[in-house]
Amino acid sequence: MKQPKIHTIKSSDTSDISEQISEAYWQNVEGLFTYRVDELAKRFELSVKEISAIAANSKSYIDFNQCKACGNKNITIIENRTRANQVLENLYYYFFCGTCRKSANEFCKKLDHKQTKIVWMRLCFKYQLWEELNKDEMNFLKAIYYLKTWNRIYHEIIKLDLDYSFKILFKLDKMHLIYYIKDELTGQVEIKMLEDLKNLIKNKSI
């Protein structure tokens, strides 16, 4: 999946130095920022607080293009890197615009965690979030379907490369394409998938 870009709105009353600081502050590759704030402070001979203040006033946002649900323009305002990281770590939630997220959250207010998860699974199925997966991630999703039990999934796939496999597993759960459930007392793991998604995989439609 292509990482969404961080944009800064340029203003006519912004000084050249502030613009340079803002661009350097937000510069990143695949969500990892190029420069530490203390590095920027040293480079521009300012305090860390001053660098952060300039960045906060730069009117920056992450552009998700169109909302997956309603199709409206979808941007998320960010004030600092902490906020940016919160968004980048939960990209799939922000594929839906603020209005659509609010509607979904209002609907889920009286539901428990499991019911809420299922609502989001249905939304992410409806709007085909699997299209955001790369080849490895899609193959992993299909393997979950074909292997079915956690014992087989763990021993035949995950155990081969624990760090990479768990990274994909938790990504699929965050995208609500699967429901990863671990009993904290017994350690037993179960992975659920919508029947509709299973049918697409079974029929080789994805």
Side-chain angles (χ1 to χ4, degrees):
M1 186 201 72
K2 189 175 181 181
Q3 191 86 11
K5 290 184 177 180
I6 296 176
H7 297 270
T8 299
I9 301 173
K10 295 182 179 180
S11 175
S12 57
D13 59 357
T14 302
S15 67
D16 289 341
I17 189 68
S18 292
E19 193 172 304
Q20 289 176 38
I21 290 170
S22 181
E23 286 181 1
Y25 179 90
W26 290 115
Q27 184 177 319
N28 72 91
V29 179
E30 292 299 314
L32 298 176
F33 293 103
T34 306
Y35 305 105
R36 298 195 312 270
V37 178
D38 61 330
E39 290 177 329
L40 295 176
K42 184 177 180 180
R43 174 179 164 186
F44 291 99
E45 299 181 342
L46 295 170
S47 68
V48 167
K49 187 175 181 180
E50 287 172 319
I51 293 292
S52 298
I54 290 170
N57 290 324
S58 64
K59 296 181 180 177
S60 300
Y61 64 93
I62 299 178
D63 188 359
F64 290 90
N65 294 318
Q66 292 181 314
C67 171
K68 285 282 188 180
C70 68
N72 287 337
K73 185 172 178 59
N74 184 19
I75 66 171
T76 296
I77 303 297
I78 48 174
E79 304 81 20
N80 50 51
R81 288 182 177 180
T82 299
R83 174 59 177 151
N85 284 327
Q86 288 173 345
V87 175
L88 294 173
E89 288 170 7
N90 295 279
L91 281 181
Y92 322 106
Y93 180 65
Y94 292 92
F95 281 169
F96 302 98
C97 69
T99 301
C100 290
R101 294 199 307 270
K102 183 178 179 180
S103 295
N105 289 331
E106 285 291 328
F107 180 81
C108 293
K109 265 188 177 179
K110 296 182 180 179
L111 304 180
D112 61 23
H113 174 74
K114 182 179 179 180
Q115 292 169 323
T116 298
K117 179 70 174 180
I118 291 171
V119 167
W120 278 99
M121 287 175 79
R122 294 195 179 284
L123 281 172
C124 292
F125 174 82
K126 180 177 180 180
Y127 298 110
Q128 303 179 350
L129 252 64
W130 63 80
E131 291 181 346
E132 303 295 335
L133 300 177
N134 63 33
K135 186 177 179 180
D136 284 350
E137 293 160 350
M138 178 59 80
N139 287 338
F140 197 101
L141 179 66
K142 292 177 180 179
I144 289 174
Y145 165 73
Y146 286 113
L147 295 175
K148 301 188 187 312
T149 67
W150 173 249
N151 188 55
R152 290 191 66 193
I153 293 167
Y154 180 81
H155 288 285
E156 295 185 36
I157 304 178
I158 293 178
K159 199 174 180 181
L160 300 176
D161 189 339
L162 287 174
D163 289 342
Y164 185 61
S165 296
F166 272 111
K167 182 180 179 181
I168 295 178
L169 182 71
F170 294 144
K171 177 177 180 177
L172 294 175
D173 181 68
K174 273 190 172 184
M175 292 178 74
H176 308 295
L177 293 172
I178 64 169
Y179 187 5
Y180 174 85
I181 308 166
K182 182 176 181 179
D183 189 303
E184 296 302 326
L185 294 177
T186 65
Q188 185 175 354
V189 173
E190 184 180 5
I191 299 178
K192 295 182 179 293
M193 188 183 297
L194 287 181
E195 289 299 321
D196 289 336
L197 183 55
K198 288 181 182 179
N199 289 334
L200 285 183
I201 296 173
K202 179 182 177 181
N203 297 324
K204 303 188 186 305
S205 298
I206 60 172

